[in-house]
Short mmCIF file of all heavy atoms in Angstrom, two decimals:
data_model
loop_
_atom_site.label_atom_id
_atom_site.label_comp_id
_atom_site.label_asym_id
_atom_site.label_seq_id
_atom_site.Cartn_x
_atom_site.Cartn_y
_atom_site.Cartn_z
N PHE A 294 -7.91 10.55 11.17
CA PHE A 294 -6.58 10.20 11.69
C PHE A 294 -6.34 10.91 13.03
O PHE A 294 -5.89 10.31 14.01
CB PHE A 294 -5.50 10.57 10.68
CG PHE A 294 -4.16 9.96 10.95
CD1 PHE A 294 -3.80 8.77 10.35
CD2 PHE A 294 -3.26 10.57 11.82
CE1 PHE A 294 -2.56 8.18 10.61
CE2 PHE A 294 -2.02 9.99 12.08
CZ PHE A 294 -1.67 8.79 11.47
N GLU A 295 -6.67 12.21 13.06
CA GLU A 295 -6.37 13.00 14.26
C GLU A 295 -7.30 12.68 15.43
O GLU A 295 -7.02 13.07 16.56
CB GLU A 295 -6.40 14.49 13.93
CG GLU A 295 -5.24 14.91 13.05
CD GLU A 295 -4.99 16.40 13.05
OE1 GLU A 295 -5.95 17.18 12.91
OE2 GLU A 295 -3.83 16.79 13.22
N SER A 296 -8.39 11.96 15.17
CA SER A 296 -9.23 11.52 16.29
C SER A 296 -8.50 10.46 17.11
O SER A 296 -8.86 10.20 18.25
CB SER A 296 -10.56 10.96 15.76
OG SER A 296 -10.38 9.70 15.13
N VAL A 297 -7.47 9.87 16.52
CA VAL A 297 -6.64 8.86 17.21
C VAL A 297 -5.26 9.43 17.53
O VAL A 297 -4.77 9.31 18.65
CB VAL A 297 -6.49 7.58 16.35
CG1 VAL A 297 -5.62 6.55 17.06
CG2 VAL A 297 -7.85 7.00 16.00
N ILE A 298 -4.63 10.05 16.54
CA ILE A 298 -3.28 10.60 16.70
C ILE A 298 -3.26 12.02 16.14
O ILE A 298 -3.08 12.21 14.92
CB ILE A 298 -2.22 9.74 15.95
CG1 ILE A 298 -2.26 8.29 16.43
CG2 ILE A 298 -0.83 10.33 16.15
CD1 ILE A 298 -1.42 7.34 15.59
N PRO A 299 -3.46 13.04 16.97
CA PRO A 299 -3.37 14.43 16.48
C PRO A 299 -1.96 14.72 15.96
O PRO A 299 -0.97 14.34 16.59
CB PRO A 299 -3.69 15.27 17.72
CG PRO A 299 -4.40 14.34 18.65
CD PRO A 299 -3.81 12.97 18.39
N LEU A 300 -1.87 15.39 14.81
CA LEU A 300 -0.56 15.76 14.28
C LEU A 300 -0.05 17.01 14.99
O LEU A 300 -0.82 17.83 15.46
CB LEU A 300 -0.66 16.04 12.77
CG LEU A 300 -1.06 14.87 11.86
CD1 LEU A 300 -0.99 15.31 10.40
CD2 LEU A 300 -0.16 13.66 12.08
N THR A 301 1.26 17.15 15.04
CA THR A 301 1.87 18.36 15.58
C THR A 301 1.84 19.44 14.50
O THR A 301 1.59 19.17 13.32
CB THR A 301 3.32 18.11 16.00
OG1 THR A 301 4.09 17.79 14.83
CG2 THR A 301 3.42 16.96 17.01
N ALA A 302 2.12 20.67 14.87
CA ALA A 302 2.12 21.78 13.91
C ALA A 302 3.15 21.54 12.80
O ALA A 302 2.86 21.80 11.61
CB ALA A 302 2.41 23.09 14.63
N VAL A 303 4.31 21.03 13.15
CA VAL A 303 5.35 20.81 12.13
C VAL A 303 4.97 19.67 11.19
O VAL A 303 5.23 19.72 9.99
CB VAL A 303 6.74 20.59 12.78
CG1 VAL A 303 6.83 19.24 13.47
CG2 VAL A 303 7.85 20.73 11.75
N GLU A 304 4.29 18.66 11.72
CA GLU A 304 3.82 17.56 10.86
C GLU A 304 2.73 18.05 9.91
O GLU A 304 2.74 17.74 8.72
CB GLU A 304 3.29 16.41 11.73
CG GLU A 304 4.40 15.64 12.44
CD GLU A 304 3.88 14.73 13.54
OE1 GLU A 304 2.74 14.92 14.03
OE2 GLU A 304 4.64 13.81 13.95
N ARG A 305 1.81 18.85 10.44
CA ARG A 305 0.75 19.40 9.59
C ARG A 305 1.31 20.27 8.47
O ARG A 305 0.81 20.26 7.35
CB ARG A 305 -0.22 20.24 10.44
CG ARG A 305 -1.40 19.44 11.02
CD ARG A 305 -2.40 20.37 11.65
NE ARG A 305 -3.71 19.72 11.81
CZ ARG A 305 -4.87 20.35 11.70
NH1 ARG A 305 -4.90 21.63 11.42
NH2 ARG A 305 -6.00 19.69 11.87
N SER A 306 2.35 21.02 8.79
CA SER A 306 2.92 21.94 7.79
C SER A 306 3.56 21.21 6.61
O SER A 306 3.77 21.79 5.54
CB SER A 306 3.96 22.86 8.44
OG SER A 306 5.14 22.13 8.79
N ALA A 307 3.87 19.92 6.79
CA ALA A 307 4.51 19.13 5.73
C ALA A 307 3.50 18.31 4.93
O ALA A 307 3.85 17.72 3.90
CB ALA A 307 5.55 18.19 6.33
N LEU A 308 2.25 18.27 5.39
CA LEU A 308 1.27 17.35 4.82
C LEU A 308 1.02 17.58 3.33
O LEU A 308 1.00 16.63 2.53
CB LEU A 308 -0.05 17.45 5.60
CG LEU A 308 -1.11 16.40 5.31
CD1 LEU A 308 -0.57 14.98 5.52
CD2 LEU A 308 -2.35 16.62 6.18
N PHE A 309 0.84 18.82 2.93
CA PHE A 309 0.56 19.14 1.53
C PHE A 309 1.67 18.61 0.62
O PHE A 309 1.42 17.93 -0.37
CB PHE A 309 0.41 20.65 1.35
CG PHE A 309 0.33 21.09 -0.10
CD1 PHE A 309 -0.86 21.05 -0.79
CD2 PHE A 309 1.47 21.54 -0.76
CE1 PHE A 309 -0.94 21.44 -2.12
CE2 PHE A 309 1.41 21.95 -2.09
CZ PHE A 309 0.20 21.90 -2.78
N LEU A 310 2.92 18.92 0.98
CA LEU A 310 4.05 18.50 0.15
C LEU A 310 4.21 16.98 0.15
O LEU A 310 4.60 16.38 -0.86
CB LEU A 310 5.33 19.18 0.62
CG LEU A 310 6.56 19.00 -0.27
CD1 LEU A 310 6.27 19.36 -1.72
CD2 LEU A 310 7.72 19.83 0.25
N LEU A 311 3.88 16.34 1.27
CA LEU A 311 3.97 14.87 1.33
C LEU A 311 2.93 14.21 0.44
O LEU A 311 3.20 13.17 -0.17
CB LEU A 311 3.82 14.39 2.78
CG LEU A 311 5.03 14.68 3.69
CD1 LEU A 311 4.68 14.38 5.14
CD2 LEU A 311 6.25 13.86 3.25
N VAL A 312 1.74 14.79 0.35
CA VAL A 312 0.73 14.25 -0.56
C VAL A 312 1.21 14.40 -2.01
O VAL A 312 1.13 13.46 -2.81
CB VAL A 312 -0.63 14.96 -0.36
CG1 VAL A 312 -1.63 14.53 -1.45
CG2 VAL A 312 -1.20 14.64 1.02
N CYS A 313 1.75 15.56 -2.34
CA CYS A 313 2.32 15.77 -3.69
C CYS A 313 3.47 14.79 -3.95
O CYS A 313 3.64 14.29 -5.07
CB CYS A 313 2.82 17.20 -3.84
SG CYS A 313 1.54 18.47 -3.81
N SER A 314 4.24 14.52 -2.92
CA SER A 314 5.38 13.61 -3.04
C SER A 314 4.92 12.19 -3.34
O SER A 314 5.51 11.49 -4.17
CB SER A 314 6.23 13.63 -1.77
OG SER A 314 6.79 14.91 -1.56
N ARG A 315 3.86 11.75 -2.66
CA ARG A 315 3.37 10.39 -2.93
C ARG A 315 2.79 10.29 -4.33
O ARG A 315 2.96 9.27 -5.01
CB ARG A 315 2.33 9.99 -1.88
CG ARG A 315 1.84 8.55 -2.05
CD ARG A 315 3.01 7.54 -2.02
NE ARG A 315 2.55 6.17 -1.93
CZ ARG A 315 3.28 5.17 -1.48
NH1 ARG A 315 4.52 5.39 -1.09
NH2 ARG A 315 2.80 3.96 -1.43
N PHE A 316 2.07 11.33 -4.78
CA PHE A 316 1.61 11.33 -6.16
C PHE A 316 2.80 11.17 -7.10
O PHE A 316 2.77 10.38 -8.05
CB PHE A 316 0.88 12.64 -6.49
CG PHE A 316 -0.61 12.59 -6.30
CD1 PHE A 316 -1.23 13.39 -5.36
CD2 PHE A 316 -1.40 11.74 -7.06
CE1 PHE A 316 -2.61 13.35 -5.18
CE2 PHE A 316 -2.78 11.68 -6.89
CZ PHE A 316 -3.39 12.49 -5.94
N SER A 317 3.87 11.91 -6.83
CA SER A 317 5.06 11.87 -7.69
C SER A 317 5.67 10.47 -7.70
O SER A 317 6.00 9.94 -8.76
CB SER A 317 6.10 12.90 -7.22
OG SER A 317 5.56 14.20 -7.27
N GLN A 318 5.82 9.88 -6.51
CA GLN A 318 6.34 8.50 -6.42
C GLN A 318 5.54 7.55 -7.29
O GLN A 318 6.08 6.80 -8.11
CB GLN A 318 6.25 8.01 -4.97
CG GLN A 318 7.49 8.14 -4.15
CD GLN A 318 7.28 7.60 -2.74
OE1 GLN A 318 6.18 7.61 -2.20
NE2 GLN A 318 8.35 7.14 -2.13
N SER A 319 4.24 7.56 -7.07
CA SER A 319 3.36 6.60 -7.74
C SER A 319 3.37 6.80 -9.25
O SER A 319 3.46 5.84 -10.01
CB SER A 319 1.94 6.75 -7.19
OG SER A 319 1.09 5.79 -7.77
N LEU A 320 3.32 8.05 -9.68
CA LEU A 320 3.21 8.33 -11.11
C LEU A 320 4.53 8.08 -11.84
O LEU A 320 4.53 7.52 -12.94
CB LEU A 320 2.76 9.79 -11.30
CG LEU A 320 1.32 10.05 -10.82
CD1 LEU A 320 1.07 11.55 -10.66
CD2 LEU A 320 0.31 9.43 -11.76
N VAL A 321 5.63 8.47 -11.23
CA VAL A 321 6.95 8.24 -11.88
C VAL A 321 7.25 6.75 -11.96
O VAL A 321 7.65 6.24 -13.01
CB VAL A 321 8.07 8.97 -11.11
CG1 VAL A 321 9.45 8.53 -11.61
CG2 VAL A 321 7.91 10.48 -11.26
N MET A 322 7.03 6.02 -10.86
CA MET A 322 7.36 4.61 -10.87
C MET A 322 6.42 3.80 -11.75
O MET A 322 6.81 2.78 -12.33
CB MET A 322 7.38 4.05 -9.44
CG MET A 322 8.45 4.67 -8.54
SD MET A 322 10.08 4.91 -9.31
CE MET A 322 10.56 3.21 -9.63
N ALA A 323 5.17 4.25 -11.89
CA ALA A 323 4.25 3.58 -12.81
C ALA A 323 4.74 3.75 -14.25
O ALA A 323 4.76 2.80 -15.03
CB ALA A 323 2.84 4.15 -12.67
N ALA A 324 5.16 4.97 -14.59
CA ALA A 324 5.67 5.22 -15.95
C ALA A 324 6.92 4.38 -16.21
O ALA A 324 7.08 3.80 -17.30
CB ALA A 324 5.97 6.71 -16.12
N HIS A 325 7.79 4.31 -15.22
CA HIS A 325 9.01 3.53 -15.37
C HIS A 325 8.70 2.04 -15.50
O HIS A 325 9.26 1.34 -16.35
CB HIS A 325 9.94 3.77 -14.17
CG HIS A 325 11.22 3.00 -14.25
ND1 HIS A 325 12.24 3.35 -15.11
CD2 HIS A 325 11.64 1.89 -13.61
CE1 HIS A 325 13.23 2.48 -14.98
NE2 HIS A 325 12.89 1.58 -14.06
#
Side-chain angles (χ1 to χ4, degrees):
F294 194 94
E295 290 198 313
S296 72
V297 179
I298 303 171
L300 296 185
T301 64
V303 71
E304 287 166 341
R305 270 189 162 214
S306 71
L308 190 57
F309 171 83
L310 188 52
L311 288 170
V312 172
C313 293
S314 297
R315 184 56 170 202
F316 267 117
S317 299
Q318 263 181 331
S319 183
L320 293 164
V321 169
M322 297 318 296
H325 180 74

